[in-house]
Amino acid sequence: MRKIPVNEAIGQILGHDIIKIIPGREKCRAFRRGQIISAADVPLLQNLGKEHIYIWEAGDELIHEDEAALRLAQSASGPGINLSEPSHGRVNLMAAYDGLLKIQVDQLHWINNLDSVIFATLHNNRTVVKEQKLAGTRVVPLAVERSLVEEAEKLCSNPRPLISVKPFKNLWTAVITTGNEVCYGRIKDGFGRVIRKKITPFGGRFMSQTIVPDSPEIIAAEIKRFIGEGADFIIITGGMSVDPDDVTPLGIKASGAEVVFYGAPVLPGSQFMLAYQGHVPICGVPGGALYSKFTTLDLLLPRIFAEERINRSEIVALGHGGFCEECKVCHFPACPFGKATYL
């Protein structure tokens, strides 16, 4: 890049975009990289505060900001990612389809530890929709050394692509509702409607719902029956508190399922259980899910429908960010709730 006075730039090829900003009203590209400067352009550039501009001089040791950003974005992109055209030295990464956003957080830290390289993303493990902007990358100067770009490309792609989107699977979902009061008709069940509503955004297929009394043996038998009939996912509602008649956790254990945790560091939704019977996730959901809009279940559903197996350490990490502020106007998932530090 060669710096020259604006008055001497007539007929030269501009080496970078120049942005015009009107505070509170507009931010736009006033001059485009590659534009040939005319005599009429000189006062316009001066009005933008430009007394000098950069002229691009090709050299093997330097890469222009647009090319650098595009190369970084291409190296970082895994399945489910589309790219924007370079603009103002920046490339955005967008979702090719609805799904679960996956960010390799350690790699992201390595990349941003490089001088002059910037990569910003949304939080890992959140639900995203087709064409949503997920991340952006750029380099700070107008041109950077080729060796720096090559180093950043390696960090963007190894050991995995930095950013990807996992599609949701249409899991057959069975619901077991527990409680003598519901089973014997003393009160009306409210969970069936709630669960249907929660699984629909992920393409979940409602298999069936059964209502059973507070019996560990019957709960265990229903879990085995549904798995035998092809259930991909089982949600068991009610009976998750510490009252002596709340026996759902005992029923889940009696089915032979491997319990990952019982009691999540999330409020609301702490009396929640996650277990696996082979590859089938089983969620024990407390009654709070009937009146709290978002709970532990909502934090885990995207990962379950992306067919990820969740481990205990990931649940432990939810404590940082696991306190819902219960805002009057809810913006979940675009809020801090459930955004664990390193997940």
Side-chain angles (χ1 to χ4, degrees):
M1 304 287 279
R2 180 163 58 92
K3 177 181 174 181
I4 63 172
V6 169
N7 289 330
E8 299 175 12
I10 298 172
Q12 298 287 346
I13 299 175
L14 184 63
H16 55 101
D17 290 344
I18 294 178
I19 306 304
K20 176 182 179 181
I21 299 176
I22 301 176
R25 287 178 51 194
E26 182 183 19
K27 178 182 178 181
C28 64
R29 180 163 49 190
F31 290 85
R32 183 185 297 272
R33 173 195 175 198
Q35 182 172 336
I36 299 174
I37 303 301
S38 68
D41 292 328
V42 172
L44 298 177
L45 288 165
Q46 291 172 330
N47 289 342
L48 292 173
K50 306 297 179 183
E51 296 298 331
H52 297 81
I53 61 170
Y54 283 103
I55 300 300
W56 179 251
E57 294 181 312
D60 290 339
E61 74 286 355
L62 291 179
I63 294 178
H64 189 274
E65 60 174 353
D66 285 349
E67 181 186 349
L70 186 58
R71 286 177 55 169
L72 293 179
Q74 290 170 336
S75 298
S77 297
I81 301 298
N82 290 331
L83 305 181
S84 72
E85 293 294 325
S87 178
H88 310 166
R90 165 177 161 179
V91 172
N92 291 326
L93 293 83
M94 299 162 292
Y97 42 72
D98 297 357
L100 179 71
L101 175 63
K102 302 301 296 185
I103 306 293
Q104 305 303 318
V105 180
D106 286 343
Q107 286 174 233
L108 181 64
H109 292 166
W110 300 338
I111 294 161
N112 283 319
N113 196 42
L114 295 175
D115 288 337
S116 301
V117 176
I118 291 172
F119 218 119
T121 75
L122 299 182
H123 278 104
N124 187 30
N125 283 334
R126 66 164 287 178
T127 302
V128 296
V129 297
K130 183 178 180 180
E131 299 183 358
Q132 181 176 351
K133 292 180 182 178
L134 311 176
T137 186
R138 66 170 304 146
V139 294
V140 176
L142 291 173
V144 293
E145 293 182 358
R146 185 173 300 275
S147 60
L148 175 63
V149 174
E150 291 171 349
E151 181 181 2
E153 284 178 308
K154 292 178 182 178
L155 294 177
C156 284
S157 58
N158 290 298
R160 298 185 183 92
L162 174 67
I163 181 169
S164 59
V165 176
K166 296 184 73 171
F168 296 127
K169 304 296 184 180
N170 305 122
L171 303 182
W172 282 107
T173 304
V175 177
I176 302 172
T177 297
T178 70
N180 292 338
E181 70 282 11
V182 183
C183 185
Y184 301 131
R186 299 188 187 107
I187 67 170
K188 185 179 179 181
D189 169 62
F191 269 115
R193 177 183 56 82
V194 171
I195 297 303
R196 282 177 180 263
K197 185 176 179 180
K198 287 184 180 294
I199 69 173
T200 296
F202 307 105
R205 295 178 289 184
F206 192 83
M207 183 176 179
S208 179
Q209 180 183 15
T210 185
I211 299 175
V212 301
D214 293 310
S215 165
E217 295 76 18
I218 295 176
I219 294 170
E222 287 299 295
I223 291 172
K224 294 176 183 178
R225 180 179 69 83
F226 273 127
I227 291 175
E229 293 177 358
D232 301 308
F233 178 30
I234 297 175
I235 298 176
I236 307 177
T237 63
M240 293 299 299
S241 76
V242 296
D243 294 343
D245 291 330
D246 287 338
V247 296
T248 297
L250 295 176
I252 294 173
K253 293 176 183 178
S255 74
E258 175 192 352
V259 175
V260 178
F261 71 93
Y262 174 36
V266 176
L267 295 171
S270 60
Q271 292 173 321
F272 184 97
M273 178 178 277
L274 175 66
Y276 287 91
Q277 183 73 270
H279 69 280
V280 178
I282 302 169
C283 291
V285 181
L290 281 175
Y291 61 84
S292 294
K293 191 171 183 180
F294 297 109
T295 67
T296 308
L297 177 64
D298 301 280
L299 301 183
L300 300 186
L301 280 178
R303 299 194 61 194
I304 289 171
F305 277 95
E307 293 191 314
E308 294 197 332
R309 195 173 184 104
I310 301 162
N311 63 48
R312 185 176 181 85
S313 65
E314 293 172 312
I315 301 303
V316 169
L318 286 174
H320 187 196
F323 183 82
C324 179
E325 296 182 71
E326 300 181 273
C327 305
K328 291 183 179 180
V329 179
C330 180
H331 297 287
F332 182 85
C335 76
F337 182 48
K339 305 304 188 297
T341 304
Y342 62 84
L343 290 180

